[in-house]
Amino acid sequence: GVGNISRPGEWVGVRLRLTDSSPRERDVLVRISLPDADGDTMVAERKITLNPGVAQGTWLYFRVPFSFDPNRGATASVYEAIVPEDADPAAGFVPGRLLARQTIAPTPANSLIPKTLGVLGVIGNDELALKRYAVRSDGGALSGTYSPYGHEATELAPGLAPASLPDRWMGYAPMWALVWGPSVEPSQIRGEQARAIREWVERGGHLVIVLPSVAQQWTNSESNELHDMLPVVTVNRREGIDLEPYRPLLQRYRSSELTRDKGVIHTFEPMATAAPNEAIRVLSGPDGGCVVARRLVGAGMVTLVGLDLGSNNVRAATRADVFWHRIF
């Protein structure tokens, strides 16, 4: 699963790394098979082309049975991909000679979390003050039944790297939200990965983008393939801003100084062409400027955050139950 997290009864993505010892490139069929509750064998399959001595990654997706035994795992197999001589080439490939087979299991074993837990993904190396969503009612890592800061307990999947993200929407299915940190440029996710995030949002996912304090590229349609999903707003960067008046957006009580230095704020102004559901004001600063804007996309939504949560002082002052609750 994404972030090594999966749930029974839910879609999961499995990323395999394959290295071929053949002297020439060849087409192969990669399969993952496992028994379901009825005793039948489910098979997920993908055709890829392997090159000699080159390690290549591929994703396969399937639903984890509610009765899945992580100790038994699933079986990954690689077959030569052939077209039968008497078959129409348009009919596709069929498995030929078995090249490799290996049993795979969730690693670590506790990555298969209870079906009652939600999953919150974070792209980038910063947890952005979201760690409190992983607090359990009894303090246990996975044993708590609810969150003291919300309803269902949540498992955090931080540190997601662009190179390891799925290329189909099913890989994101366990997540109720995906937060894109300021340290990752939008240009790092393109092609099938960008289309996977787009479809996941359209099916009901919530993508939250925290803008970096400098050199943000989200408004650049050339480097950002998700540009047309963003709120239809003009992004205004303001630097040298006293952050103290923004404290009520971040915390309920005065528990720490934000900073005596000046900070960076991005504000959002709806464009004249924006429909009502394309530029929704979520949070306003003390001067009335919008600092969090949202757009509804299909059954999901995309939210832009203009506060500099990448700053150590701002992040330290942020309380999940004050700021992030309003976002989610």
Side-chain angles (χ1 to χ4, degrees), residues 14-319:
V14 174
R15 190 167 188 262
L16 300 176
R17 181 183 174 98
L18 302 97
T19 306
D20 196 357
S21 58
S22 171
R24 63 184 65 86
E25 73 172 28
R26 57 178 168 180
D27 294 326
V28 299
L29 291 178
V30 185
R31 288 182 167 182
I32 288 183
S33 58
L34 70 163
D36 63 10
D38 298 324
D40 300 320
T41 299
M42 301 188 299
V43 177
E45 180 182 271
R46 196 165 196 174
K47 194 275 287 185
I48 64 173
T49 301
L50 295 179
N51 293 282
V54 178
Q56 297 176 230
T58 187
W59 282 91
L60 286 95
Y61 306 92
F62 57 91
R63 282 190 178 273
V64 180
F66 281 105
S67 58
F68 180 68
D69 182 358
N71 295 316
R72 294 182 58 186
T75 301
S77 306
V78 183
Y79 298 85
E80 285 185 333
I82 62 174
V83 177
E85 295 182 358
D86 57 346
D88 182 357
F93 294 91
V94 297
R97 183 167 60 96
L98 176 65
L99 303 176
R101 174 174 289 166
Q102 182 173 324
T103 300
I104 58 175
T107 305
N110 64 0
S111 63
L112 187 69
I113 66 175
K115 59 182 178 292
T116 53
L117 296 185
V119 180
L120 174 59
V122 184
I123 299 177
N125 296 323
D126 196 330
E127 292 181 352
L128 302 171
L130 292 164
K131 191 180 298 184
R132 285 199 173 190
Y133 279 99
V135 175
R136 303 290 188 267
S137 58
D138 58 0
L142 289 173
S143 58
T145 56
Y146 68 90
S147 167
Y149 301 103
H151 297 286
E152 71 173 2
T154 295
E155 180 69 7
L156 199 63
L160 301 180
S164 65
L165 291 179
D167 56 4
R168 297 292 186 272
W169 70 268
M170 295 88 80
Y172 300 96
M175 300 181 185
W176 54 267
L178 179 63
V179 180
W180 194 312
S183 62
V184 179
E185 295 288 343
S187 59
Q188 295 187 48
I189 295 181
R190 308 182 72 88
E192 291 184 330
Q193 288 180 315
R195 288 191 289 273
I197 292 177
R198 178 186 301 274
E199 186 169 356
W200 171 73
V201 171
E202 292 172 346
R203 289 172 173 268
H206 185 186
L207 175 63
V208 182
I209 299 163
V210 181
L211 295 182
S213 59
V214 295
Q216 68 86 12
Q217 296 296 315
W218 285 96
T219 54
N220 185 347
S221 60
E222 297 296 325
S223 61
N224 178 16
E225 294 190 8
L226 301 176
H227 177 268
D228 60 342
M229 298 178 63
L230 301 184
V232 184
V233 295
T234 300
V235 179
N236 303 305
R237 181 178 182 273
R238 301 163 56 191
E239 58 183 10
I241 302 298
D242 181 11
L243 299 178
E244 182 62 28
Y246 290 85
R247 181 186 298 276
L249 297 180
L250 304 174
Q251 56 184 229
R252 185 172 291 108
Y253 307 109
R254 187 184 181 88
S255 59
S256 65
E257 290 291 336
L258 277 173
T259 176
R260 298 186 185 278
D261 299 328
K262 304 299 182 181
V264 174
I265 297 291
H266 288 90
T267 59
F268 310 111
E269 290 288 340
M271 296 183 182
T273 58
N277 66 338
E278 293 178 338
I280 302 172
R281 179 186 293 261
V282 178
L283 288 179
S284 298
D287 59 356
C290 177
V291 292
V292 178
R294 174 169 298 156
R295 177 177 182 172
L296 304 184
V297 181
M301 50 192 169
V302 177
T303 300
L304 284 179
V305 177
L307 295 174
D308 185 14
L309 297 184
S311 164
N312 291 333
N313 291 320
V314 175
R315 183 173 60 253
T318 302
R319 299 294 177 264

